[in-house]
Amino acid sequence: MTRVLILCTHNSARSQMAEALTRAAAAELGVPLDVHSAGTEATRVKADAVTVMAELGLDLSTHHSKTLFDVPDPQNFEYVITVCDSAAEACPVYPGRTRRRHYPFVDPSGGSLERWRAVRDQLSTRMRAFVQALRDGQDAPPSYDHSPAVEVA
């Protein structure tokens, strides 16, 4: 089973949503993945993340913010995906077999639910493409262009 770690700064929004979306895509596409998320520091899962993910039938209400020290076997991942620039800069060194990917997304914190939904939908598209690449026997792209600025208030 391929292990995937998704990193962000606080593990409170983007990485939590990406974890759930990646798991859902893997289940739907029949790709055996062991998906985790963590932050460079732990805080709490934001209520707006829980709300917009529930709209898709994905429950984050039992998730909690964690650091790498809280993840099982934190140095043993085939893919480490950073979803914000500060996590990419603070990302620890991994063994040579780990493939690092950087897929940055706008931080929806402090924005409207429409902004949260826009970021969620961008995450969904990108993480599904990641899972599809693995399903098709391709290596996932090393990076995506920075996600466009979310224009929603």
Side-chain angles (χ1 to χ4, degrees):
M1 183 174 291
T2 301
R3 295 189 79 219
V4 178
L5 175 64
I6 302 167
L7 287 175
C8 201
T9 304
H10 298 116
N11 191 224
S12 62
R14 290 167 284 184
S15 54
Q16 292 283 346
M17 293 190 297
E19 174 187 357
L21 291 162
T22 303
R23 282 188 180 151
E28 181 183 333
L29 297 171
V31 179
L33 296 180
D34 180 23
V35 184
H36 298 269
S37 68
T40 55
E41 58 186 78
T43 57
R44 61 178 171 70
V45 177
K46 295 188 176 175
D48 288 338
V50 174
T51 298
V52 299
M53 294 303 286
E55 294 172 353
L56 299 181
L58 299 173
D59 184 8
L60 296 185
S61 66
T62 60
H63 284 217
H64 64 279
S65 178
K66 54 204 164 301
T67 69
L68 275 174
F69 300 110
D70 303 314
V71 174
D73 199 8
Q75 289 295 316
N76 188 20
F77 285 96
E78 281 80 16
Y79 286 94
V80 173
I81 301 170
T82 51
V83 293
C84 70
D85 290 331
S86 64
E89 292 168 12
C91 188
V93 174
Y94 278 86
R97 67 174 189 75
T98 299
R99 297 176 191 114
R100 284 188 55 183
R101 301 295 182 256
H102 183 53
Y103 305 157
F105 296 90
V106 171
D107 184 358
S109 298
S112 67
L113 281 179
E114 287 76 22
R115 179 183 172 118
W116 279 87
R117 289 179 186 113
V119 172
R120 174 203 63 199
D121 294 346
Q122 290 171 356
L123 281 161
S124 180
T125 298
R126 300 274 169 81
M127 301 319 293
R128 184 174 181 82
F130 169 79
V131 174
Q132 285 175 322
L134 297 182
R135 180 200 63 193
D136 296 343
Q138 301 171 353
D139 195 17
S143 67
Y144 287 108
D145 294 333
H146 280 56
S147 53
V150 178
E151 299 298 329
V152 183

